[in-house]
Amino acid sequence: MNDMRKIERDVDMNDVKISAKGVQVYYGTTHAIKDVDVLIQDKTVTAFIGPSGCGKSTFLRCLNRMNDTIDICRVTGDIRIDGDDIYDKRVDPVQLRAKVGMVFQKPNPFPKSIYDNVAYGPRIHGMAKNKADLDEIVERALRRGAIWDEVKDRLDAPGTGLSGGQQQRLCIARAVATEPEVLLMDEPCSALDPIATGQVEELIDELRNDYSVVIVTHSMQQAARVSQKTAFFHLGNLVEYGETGQIFTNPQDPRTESYISGKIG
Amino acid sequence: MTDTNMDGPATPQRKNSLMAPDARTKQRNAAEARFKAYGIIAILIGVFFLVVLAASILRNGLPAFTQTVVELEFTLTEEQYNDAESKVLKTAAYKEFLVTAFRENLSERGVEVPFDESAIDRIVGQAGNTLRTYFRANEDQLGQPVTFSLGASSRVDGYFKGRVTREDLSNSRFLNAEDLDIVDVLADVGIMKQQFNWTFVTGKDAGVDNPGGAGIGASVIGSFFMMLVVLMLALPIGVAASIYLEEFAPKNRWTDLIEVNISNLAAVPSIVFGILGLAVFIQLAGLPQSAPLVGGLVLTLMTLPTIIISTRASLKAVPPSIRSAALGVGASKMQSVFHHVLPLAMPGILTGTIIGLAQALGETAPLLLIGMVGFVAREYPDGIVSGFTDANSAMPAQIYTWAARADQAFYEKAWGGIIVLLVFLLAMNVLAIILRRRFERRW
Amino acid sequence: MPLSWIVLTVLAIAAAGYVLGRGRALQSAGGDSRKLHSLPSYYGTNVAMKVIVPSLLILLVWLLVQPIVVSRAVVANVPENVVASGSSMGLFMSDVRRVADGLDAAVAQGSLTRKEAFDIRTEFTNVTQRINEAGVALGSAVTPETLRAAQEFRTLNRIGSIAMSVVVALAALGGIAFGLRESVAGFRARNVVEGGVRLLLIGAASIAILTTVGIVLSLIFNTIEFFRIYPAADFFLSLTWQPSFGGGSSLGIWPLLWGTLYISLIALAVAVPIGLFAAIYLSEYASKPVRAIAKPALEILAGIPTIVYGLFALLTVGPILMVVFGDDGVGWMRSATSVMTAGLVMGIMLIPFVSSLSDDIINSVPQAMRDGSYGLGATKSETIRQVILPAALPGIVGAILLAASRAIGETMIVVLGAGAAARLSLNPFEAMTTITAKIVSQLTGDSDFNSPEALVAFALGMTLFVITLGLNVFALYIVRKYREQYE
């Protein structure tokens, strides 16, 4: 694929947060991801787009080894974060996931209080020395999740009692509370109404200041709105990867063009 | 969305390389390993108990299927017979013949063992009576050599099976160490040996003082008739109730009440069903005590909730498209259910029924309350009707009666009875699994 | 006419009705079954149904009512002074029934002619002896009054059963006539038959209710009977349980309740941790093959009859405990039967109960919860302890309550393994007894059925029923609520 050369031109190697080379994923006998190479930059929003079942979510879940929890899933190839091979035997997925946070398609607050939801990560990773410290971490995370003002008076209320949009922002706050360096988002707005989607998108844009954000989305408009880089997946292949504006206005690959013009999908 | 600006740019603390797990992670992983180990230990404990249970059933129960006998060739002349029959103590006379026969049999084999008549009593129990009964019934056998297999007393039997040791006998009046010397010699020359115990498999309960003659056969028949009642009542009633609840019942308070009732009945202690049987079937309706019919009725009521629950699951598993297809060609609701849904659900229903029956087969407590205790299993029923109405026991109740007796020789019978019971249960469960494998559809 | 003959006659009439009804319907359509509203067999079934249902219903009701009416009539004719002091009309009537049975038996054997049985008098014949010879054992000599009442009893019963045969036969014939009159082409036979089947189905479904009603009524009536002859306050407040068959028993429930709860507590202490950890391991850690073997292996434990566990407690576990805790060991245990023996074995029995219910409940916690936790870098055990278990807690509590109700109602293990002595003690190695074990021993003993020593079993049964019902209702409520939460 000749666009790979183009990526290397465009990307400043010093800024690369995640590099993936020759990644293959198998679900049992199904070949779900075929030889994907990609470089993801720090402090950037990268969008993965493509039709359903194209492997974009599967690939996303490789980046923090969430696929380890699925028995039949097998990953080969080389994925590095800050130069460390995350599939190395010495790497503990637990530590990795603290560094690479994740937000899921459906808001999934734990059946605990709002406070405990956010404090869960910091607690298990032992990030707070005392209660005051934890309070501060929770407040900071909720502020960064743009939900502090809405919940500050009812931190003891159950997280499941919030509205869908609030729940998803709570989940984002929960993810940032462990101070990750990368934030993976798997279709974070697919279960939300347009207003809540708008709020979450705004939040994603702000998060770019601190994190490298990778977002899987079904909606091309959303990719265009929030991302700087876009990767198009089709049938397990990474078809095209580049600046978002360029992918949408001047796609190099005919498949990309068909997809964004609505012919496949 | 202004509140994020307050803390300014975040400063994510740089952690160590991913390659070197930090101390806390090591600690957390250790906790993880411990937690997983608890799970494995729990499983192992469960499996360990299962193995211990199986081992103690087999070790204690298998000896019940063998029996120690004395095989003796014996000729009784007509003269001796008439002589003995004219005496006052008839069985004692026969015992004397027996002693003589023992002496002859032993000396034929060239062995000399000193023993007295009382030792014979202790070793082969009531043998005199056995001989008398035999010859009175078969007078034509007089004067001809007849080979007898006389059951050894339960203590001699126990000695052969390792249940009784010489030390145990130090002050027993039933058997002493000298008797065991005789027993050893008898075993050496092949007069005394072990053989398969048909009496145990086909026999009846022979009373408190005769563990050797105790058999489980009669109560197997009792259990069989009970299961017949359960099958004939619980299957149709259970299926009818499930069809109504699953296919016809409107959603109202009455059906709600029935639903709650069924799930509660499934958890009512079995002994309460025994009380119900005693009060309603025996006291109120005047049905005979200890009858398999009553036992079957009680077990039917007890099994119904189980059968209803599994039948409803099978009916639910038939996809609605089948019902719509039947209704679409103009069948009535009733026809769609009886012609299409029920046949398709039948394998699942039968599987559930067999499992319900297996559960009923092992139930003991309610049977005790309606009088189906072991010691009533003294006779085989002499027909179909008496099979339902004559006093009988059932396998688990028979086992209980043996276990509760003071004579330890009955414990072996109880364990053996458990093997018989479990063989039946195993067969029923295997049948259920085969049915499920062969006929159950996945939609 | 014997009962079976009546039933057979009804069935024969029904069969005839089926054939006739089918034929008549076909005939009315001119032999062309397409002109009928329903299939011909529905017309036949309709007639058969109209024969069987009313006549068998009448038969059933008659059989239930006749004994009551007859005894009333007999009682009404008995002179007041016959019933000796210290006796009761109930006892007198049971004598009457026995004598009547004896006369029946004597007639059946031919030792009395039918006429003799009606005319016989104690003044002239030794009736007691004749009846005893017929194989019916009588407790005491037959008094003239008893004999007269018995003869009246027999006469009334005879009249009753003749009347019953006639009425049932009339009902069957009426049914066939009515059904046949309906059997014409335009009649909606299928709808009527289906309506009947539907009623049958409703009846089957209502048996569950009837069972519960039967349980409750049989417990309540006998419990009231018990409290009439034994003070309720003593039953609920006394701390001693000492039945003596000569009377003057002390029947306090507390020692039994304590034994029941103590044994259940030990059983749960064994079953809950093992069952819960087994469920966690099976649902969260075990690979497919391990699960495929370990899960059914544990469930075998649930399929084993309780009598097997009882024997296991008495003959295997008890002696093993004796070796360790008995006089040769620590010296805490005096006999192989004890609270610990029964509790331990009951715990084993309950392991699969706790584990498979908990397994279901843990599996119904949505995967999204696990993903959320793993995504934050939690280990499996942290996820289980801090996310899954709290989420599944209500369901697990429900499962444990159901297991507790099982333990409280379990009979055979405690009958064989716990001992027979009722005592209030804290030592788990002492023999104690439970409510269920005493129900068995009080009702299988030799005591008179109307004595407080036997009737107390019903009060115990009532207590047991109320406790387990409460636990079940509460547990099922919790489990149902929990299921709704994730559906």
Side-chain angles (χ1 to χ4, degrees), chain A residues 153-214:
Chain A
D153 300 326
R154 46 171 173 152
L155 291 174
D156 290 330
T160 42
L162 297 172
S163 74
Q166 288 174 322
Q167 286 191 4
Q168 194 61 303
R169 278 180 284 145
L170 174 65
C171 290
I172 293 172
R174 189 175 70 186
V176 299
T178 54
E179 315 233 328
E181 294 164 31
V182 179
L183 204 54
L184 308 176
M185 297 184 154
D186 189 355
E187 303 194 30
C189 301
S190 67
L192 304 183
D193 62 52
I195 295 171
T197 303
Q199 290 169 331
V200 171
E201 282 179 7
E202 211 174 309
L203 173 59
I204 292 170
D205 202 47
E206 281 162 18
L207 291 171
R208 176 162 65 98
N209 297 325
D210 306 325
Y211 310 102
S212 166
V213 179
V214 184

Side-chain angles (χ1 to χ4, degrees), chain A residues 203-241:
Chain A
L203 173 59
I204 292 170
D205 202 47
E206 281 162 18
L207 291 171
R208 176 162 65 98
N209 297 325
D210 306 325
Y211 310 102
S212 166
V213 179
V214 184
I215 175 171
V216 164
T217 174
H218 220 71
S219 144
M220 285 171 287
Q221 289 81 354
Q222 187 173 58
R225 281 195 299 266
V226 300
S227 70
Q228 288 76 52
K229 293 274 200 169
T230 296
F232 171 61
F233 284 81
H234 186 241
L235 297 176
N237 295 303
L238 176 62
V239 175
E240 192 165 350
Y241 177 46

Side-chain angles (χ1 to χ4, degrees), chain A residues 94-106:
Chain A
V94 166
Q95 253 177 313
L96 168 71
R97 289 180 199 141
K99 191 167 171 174
V100 184
M102 189 159 193
V103 176
F104 297 85
Q105 191 167 356
K106 244 181 86 186

